[in-house]
Amino acid sequence: MLTQWFKANEKHPDARNLTYVEFPRFWVWKSEIKKWTMRLSGNMIGRLPFAHPTSGERYYFRMLLHIVRGATCYKDLRTVDGVEYLTFKDACIALGLLHDDNEWSEALLEANTWASANQLRHIFSTMLMFCEVTNPCDLWAKFWEIFVDDLHLRLRRELGNMVLELPYDELKNMALYEIENILNKSSRSLREFPSMPFPMLRERHVIVNKLIREELSYDANSLLQEFQMLYVKLNTKQLLVFDSVMHACTNNLGGLYFVYGSGGIGKTFLWQTIIAKLRSEQKIVLAVASSRIASLLLPGGRTAHSCFKIPINLHESSTCSISMQSPLAELIQKAHLIIWDEAPMIHRYAFKAVDRTFRDLMKFNGPHASDRAFGGKAVLLGGDFRQLLPVVPKKGREGIVAAHFIDRIFGQNVMFFVSLLTCVFHLINLLHYTCQIIG
């Protein structure tokens, strides 16, 4: 009936002098042909279905149908004095059909003299749900500071940091998060009020989780400048690794990568470039190394044992001491890349423990995460097999080789492979020294 009213106004100039509610007085709806026809006799009063003021755009649309005459489309209903508005509510405001929110402002000002911030958030939520607030976004912008009065102190107590300072954007987001929770208890949401901002729900966990906050606290602008200086200095092979890793991180593909090379060829320089790029985009990178000295060369680096809680006494079925509900577990789940330097010098049981733990942590983030290496996380390993291998007390070459992690990469013939590689390496050194002596 409504769309045919549009068409009738378009075809018949006389019909354009009537509102949708007045239309049945002079026109008759023929249900069999689904069209409006001129009324020849009698009279009829039009009536629209009821719409509650809290029903949003439906309520304002119904209000306009009582006012606007001769509309030929929905756009005409939203147009006032030649200006098309985005919503029916904005059109009602332009027509002066809605009053201001002065009574709600006065109510919040009065309540602020005796109510706590938590109570004020409940009052504001009640206004949204049950009162005819014309512009909730303006009301929010005017009073958001009294809604966040207790959140700063509460977060300081939760984190045990009484000097913690949060930017206004994070405080606003926390208040919106609390209001959304209040509305959800009544099966409502801030999404029902298009003018109201919606909280970034993930940010609530970021604020509370101290580990994530630390990883996201880097200066993005300075890191971007650092990346631009480092990137132009990468050689062809470094660019190949950089592009492969960035493609995996950008598209959330995961994967296990290994950069093999001796000391001094630019592995650390490559790590710094990748870390600067990802952190400048506010992405989390966990930079670890097998030794403390190597970790000092990485920006924000730590030892693998410290970061992943790898046990000291390892065995075949070891796992890392990371609880599923711990902040560290959440940090690992949100990490985009893990860089592990000097990987060949750590026991293979440590890699198995990290792999087993990551699969458990990531199994809720994807259907096949538990079947992928490191739970589908992008892991970039680096090191040199010719340098220090894992230290195994009271074991010979066979025990050291058996403790090496590359059996997971090269298969079961790892002892033969490493022995052959070692023999070739020693033979090359012998020939080199012999040439020097003869020369």
Side-chain angles (χ1 to χ4, degrees), residues 93-107:
I93 295 174
L95 287 170
L97 302 177
L98 300 178
H99 299 288
D100 57 25
D101 296 325
N102 186 59
E103 65 269 33
W104 312 123
S105 298
E106 293 296 331

Side-chain angles (χ1 to χ4, degrees), residues 115-134:
S116 65
N118 183 46
Q119 292 171 325
L120 290 171
R121 290 193 294 269
H122 278 80
I123 293 174
F124 181 73
S125 302
T126 302
M127 289 180 178
L128 293 180
M129 289 187 289
F130 305 111
C131 302
E132 300 178 26
V133 181
T134 303

